[in-house]
Amino acid sequence: MALIVQKYGGTSVGTIEKIKKVAGRVARTRDMGNDVVVVVSAMAGETNRLLGLANQLSELPNERELDVVASTGEQVTIGLLSIALSEMGYPARSFTGFQIPVLTDSAHVKARIRNIEGATIQSALKKGEIAVVAGFQGIDETGAITTLGRGGSDTSAVAVAAALSADVCEIYTDVDGVYTTDPGICSDAQKLERISFEEMLELASLGAKVLQIRAVEFGMKYGVRIHVRSSFNDNTGTLVTKEEEIMETAVVSGVAYNKGEAKITIVKVPDRPGIAAKIFKPLSDANIVVDVIVQNVSVTGHTDLTFTVGRSDYKKAMMTTETVAKEIGADKVVGNDKIAKVSIVGLAMRSHSGVATKVFETLGAEGVNILGITTSEIKISCLIEEKYTELAVRVLHKAFGLGKPANA
Ligand code: ADP
Ligand code: ASP
Ligand code: MG
């Protein structure tokens, strides 16, 4: 008898019919003699709808209240799934983040889990119940409701699996595993049987939304076996696992993209020690994550400094940066919130040369201008105009031989 955590994403619970199907799969897992904890997302489109309501009232809604609104989507699903299971004769009990509790920090809309109390779920399992847990949500130490950032139910599931020392955490979604790139963009993308935590971490952080990055971090830290698979069929999916367990490695394992980027440039920044800290401190104080930073060489004692932030932080970041720019005597601030980042990831890149050149040549041949570049040992990312995203993904995927062979 195993302890299995199953997470079902928005599309998998998008309608009452689909919730019944999920209940059927959960019941089958239970019938095999396993203890089952289910973590669910809000029904497809629901979180967007809820956030949209708040945005009708304010351009920059108070984030504490935004979490109160956004977290309700998951509460509906846990209730519905528990009802569906009970109807089928399987005792089930729903739990909100508050009831467990899932303790997080207070960074509203992107909170991080600090601790999950396993005892409440354990006692439900002991009674023979199926525990149905709301993903995406927690509470901070003052009791305020928090949410974990978009796609956060993945993280809830892996963190619950870690807290309960579950045998496996199954992530059920609308594709049957992790692919060489988003199968929605490249029809010849291939499913990976296994992927290392390191590569998955990069792909997730670079935009492959099939797993939220914090979920991969938890999995890596606590050694949780993560199996990404489809809720619509019984195919074996992709196992996210330790590097040692991967047999063969391609130079490039995958291509990721993130359309949700924004670029801010401060023009004519005085080039003095301490200025960068002055610029970035207010941004980190405002909980804004800065990604790529590019600074030009200064010839005249002034430099242009460009950085990127997530698009949802763009307005807040522009306001913060404009204030700082005045304080330090910079010329002006210009921004563009239609930026995308396209990246290639692969463990074997560490020991191969010429990979970056191939990326630049491939994009150049298609007339895609590169606005910024960052690299790590196992990834290369390029900032580009958002309208070229799909094109860039397809040509890179092809250039690195990731597509299915023509006759497959
Ligand atoms: P869920 O609602 O189940 O959490 P998501 O929409 O968050 O599902 O994540 C699944 C989606 O991730 C897929 O439909 C696919 O479009 C996208 N995706 C992006 N990159 C990849 C990839 N490399 N492999 C698989 N799916 C990917
Ligand atoms: N419902 C949340 C979202 O749409 C969390 C999730 O689905 O993982 O982002
Ligand atoms: Mg998701």
Side-chain angles (χ1 to χ4, degrees), residues 180-198:
T180 46
T181 193
D182 185 348
I185 285 200
C186 264
S187 54
D188 67 342
Q190 300 192 76
K191 184 171 82 183
L192 300 163
E193 254 171 58
R194 287 170 182 239
I195 186 165
S196 67
F197 281 116
E198 288 82 359

Side-chain angles (χ1 to χ4, degrees), residues 259 338-340 368 384-392:
K259 286 189 177 182
K338 296 277 179 297
I339 298 294
V368 178
I384 59 171
E385 276 185 66
E386 187 189 278
K387 62 182 177 190
Y388 294 124
T389 313
E390 282 81 3
L391 172 68

Side-chain angles (χ1 to χ4, degrees), residues 151 154 158 171 178 200 203-205 208-216 226 228 240:
D154 297 330
V158 180
I171 305 282
V178 179
M200 194 62 236
L203 285 175
S205 77
K209 65 174 183 162
V210 63
L211 278 179
Q212 201 202 32
I213 177 166
R214 288 282 292 148
V216 189
I226 303 176
V228 181
V240 187

Side-chain angles (χ1 to χ4, degrees), residues 62-378:
N62 176 292
E63 292 184 336
R64 181 189 186 280
E65 306 312 331
L66 208 50
D67 277 350
V68 171
V69 176
S71 63
T72 59
E74 273 69 14
Q75 187 168 333
V76 171
T77 329
I78 53 172
L80 292 176
L81 181 59
S82 301
I83 293 170
L85 284 164
S86 303
E87 275 300 298
M88 293 170 64
Y90 291 82
R93 183 177 297 258
S94 65
F95 296 97
T96 62
F98 169 73
Q99 288 167 327
I100 289 176
V102 175
L103 188 68
T104 72
D105 63 16
S106 302
H108 285 287
V109 311
K110 52 182 142 193
R112 292 166 74 94
I113 295 176
R114 284 195 176 147
N115 185 49
I116 292 186
E117 193 51 62
T120 328
I121 300 177
Q122 298 278 20
S123 79
L125 297 178
K126 261 202 201 104
K127 282 189 228 150
E129 291 169 339
I130 293 164
V132 183
V133 177
F136 184 51
Q137 55 175 262
I139 51 157
D140 72 2
E141 54 189 8
T142 71
I145 295 174
T146 53
T147 64
L148 309 179
R150 298 309 304 268
S153 299
D154 297 330
T155 302
S156 308
V158 180
V160 164
L164 300 174
S165 304
D167 295 280
V168 63
C169 180
E170 297 176 336
I171 305 282
Y172 287 92
T173 182
D174 57 358
V175 284
D176 48 12
V178 179
Y179 279 70
T180 46
T181 193
D182 185 348
I185 285 200
C186 264
S187 54
D188 67 342
Q190 300 192 76
K191 184 171 82 183
L192 300 163
E193 254 171 58
R194 287 170 182 239
I195 186 165
S196 67
F197 281 116
E198 288 82 359
E199 286 167 308
M200 194 62 236
L201 204 58
E202 289 285 8
L203 285 175
S205 77
L206 297 168
K209 65 174 183 162
V210 63
L211 278 179
Q212 201 202 32
I213 177 166
R214 288 282 292 148
V216 189
E217 281 172 6
F218 265 105
M220 194 163 167
K221 185 163 172 198
Y222 297 102
V224 179
R225 288 163 63 81
I226 303 176
H227 183 183
V228 181
R229 54 193 309 193
S230 168
S231 63
F232 306 129
N233 61 46
D234 288 330
N235 298 348
T236 307
T238 301
L239 192 67
V240 187
T241 183
K242 296 193 185 96
E243 190 179 334
E244 304 85 80
E245 291 178 32
I246 311 279
M247 299 296 167
E248 47 172 298
T249 45
V251 178
V252 173
S253 307
V255 181
Y257 66 92
N258 182 6
K259 286 189 177 182
E261 305 250 337
K263 181 169 82 110
I264 297 177
T265 301
I266 317 180
V267 182
K268 277 193 140 182
V269 177
D271 194 15
R272 292 195 306 268
I275 285 286
K278 276 217 172 72
I279 293 170
F280 291 112
K281 172 113 190 348
L283 290 164
S284 61
D285 287 348
N287 254 315
I288 295 169
V289 178
V290 172
D291 184 15
V292 181
I293 301 177
V294 187
Q295 185 179 336
N296 283 349
V297 192
S298 114
V299 188
T300 58
H302 286 89
T303 172
D304 291 348
L305 193 139
T306 298
F307 58 91
T308 60
V309 296
R311 194 171 296 161
S312 56
D313 280 335
Y314 177 63
K315 284 182 194 146
K316 201 157 92 174
M318 272 302 264
M319 271 161 34
T320 311
T321 310
E322 272 160 0
T323 312
V324 178
K326 276 198 199 107
E327 279 168 23
I328 59 174
D331 204 19
K332 61 178 174 184
V333 179
V334 287
N336 179 349
D337 68 348
K338 296 277 179 297
I339 298 294
K341 189 167 66 177
V342 181
S343 314
I344 58 163
V345 172
L347 281 177
M349 236 188 259
R350 287 177 191 145
S351 50
H352 279 72
S353 59
V355 182
T357 311
K358 191 162 176 177
V359 171
F360 306 149
E361 279 174 357
T362 306
L363 294 178
E366 295 293 330
V368 178
N369 196 19
I370 300 172
L371 310 173
I373 301 162
T374 54
T375 63
S376 80
E377 260 197 322
I378 65 164

Side-chain angles (χ1 to χ4, degrees), residues 7 9-10 41-43 46-48 70 74 135-136 149-154:
K7 178 260 171 177
S41 294
M43 295 168 81
E46 184 59 12
T47 309
N48 285 344
E74 273 69 14
F136 184 51
R150 298 309 304 268
S153 299
D154 297 330

